[in-house]
Amino acid sequence: VNVAIVGNGRMGSKLAALLKQAGATVTPVGRGGAVPKDATIVVLAVPYPEVMDALAAAGDLSGRIIADMVNPIGPGLQLATGLTTSAAEEIQREQPRARVVKAFNTVFAELLDRKYGKREKPPQVMICGDDAAAKAEVVKLIELVGLEPYDCGPLVVARFLEPIGGLIVHLAYGQNRGTRIAPRLDQY
Ligand SMILES: NC(=O)c1ccc[n+]([C@@H]2O[C@H](COP(=O)([O-])OP(=O)(O)OC[C@H]3O[C@@H](n4cnc5c(N)ncnc54)[C@H](OP(=O)(O)O)[C@@H]3O)[C@@H](O)[C@H]2O)c1
């Protein structure tokens, strides 16, 4: 798999390292950088206020998969968008012919640090998106880095997944509970 990672901060750099270890071709893309033509999956790992600049520099991503991990958190740990849209839907609107999949926004970078044993449950990566084939590719990417995918449905569900990202940020930083927590959905 050929992956471009836009944004090389805590999440982007760790995901890049894990994917490389797993044998993927990974191109880090920094500020103002264009996404290589042969990258089939573009992981968007920039802060919310930078999303539109990063997309403008990335070029036309028609047909490509955008794995969007952005949590639209603004000042005071408040959600910066929601109710009638989401960061994921804004990204889809900006790149209408790309295939946007929300993924990784509910997992802290610190949980990408270690391998999970066969007998323990790895952190869940909740995803949503409208393109089933694109979601299947993102599921493979999640499994490649040793995490557990959980499909939450169509892209509109990002309106609910982004507040879950907001919840863990609130717990970790607003309430000082640390970043070694992850939400999971179990079936009973
Ligand atoms: N940290 C987490 O645990 C976590 C978990 C889930 C989701 N997220 C989400 O993931 C995204 C990245 O978070 P992070 O914690 O990795 O942030 P971070 O450590 O602050 O890193 C952000 C990176 O994006 C780069 N960047 C900024 N604007 C850019 C642009 N226009 N084009 C290309 N690169 C650009 C920054 O480069 P410069 O150094 O030049 O500024 C930096 O390398 C955010 O949307 C966040 O909400 C984070």
Side-chain angles (χ1 to χ4, degrees), residues 134-147:
K135 276 201 287 198
E137 290 302 308
V138 173
V139 161
K140 282 190 213 159
L141 206 68
I142 292 164
E143 289 173 341
L144 205 57
V145 299
L147 302 178

Side-chain angles (χ1 to χ4, degrees), residues 13 23 62 67 108 122 172-173 175:
S13 59
S62 293
F108 278 124
Y173 299 108
Q175 299 180 32

Side-chain angles (χ1 to χ4, degrees), residues 93-162:
R93 233 187 330 275
E94 190 65 17
Q95 291 273 350
R97 297 175 62 200
R99 303 143 79 201
V100 178
V101 179
K102 191 88 205 174
F104 296 109
N105 75 300
T106 61
V107 181
F108 278 124
E110 286 76 2
L111 298 182
L112 302 178
D113 271 346
R114 71 174 181 93
K115 282 206 158 50
Y116 295 89
K118 283 206 174 81
R119 306 246 296 267
E120 60 184 339
K121 287 180 176 175
Q124 235 174 28
V125 178
M126 297 172 193
I127 68 169
C128 67
D130 292 334
D131 184 314
K135 276 201 287 198
E137 290 302 308
V138 173
V139 161
K140 282 190 213 159
L141 206 68
I142 292 164
E143 289 173 341
L144 205 57
V145 299
L147 302 178
E148 180 190 323
Y150 189 99
D151 187 353
C152 293
L155 196 66
V156 68
V157 173
R159 295 176 195 183
F160 304 106
L161 287 188
E162 291 172 8

Side-chain angles (χ1 to χ4, degrees), residues 6-13 29-33 44-55 57 68-73 103-110 165 168-169 173 179:
V6 183
N8 304 300
R10 286 166 293 178
M11 282 298 274
S13 59
V29 177
R31 276 176 193 276
L44 198 53
V46 302
Y48 178 64
E50 298 286 347
V51 164
M52 291 303 155
D53 277 1
L55 287 180
D68 155 40
M69 66 170 67
V70 173
N71 276 318
I73 310 287
F104 296 109
N105 75 300
T106 61
V107 181
F108 278 124
E110 286 76 2
I168 59 166
V169 168
Y173 299 108
T179 50

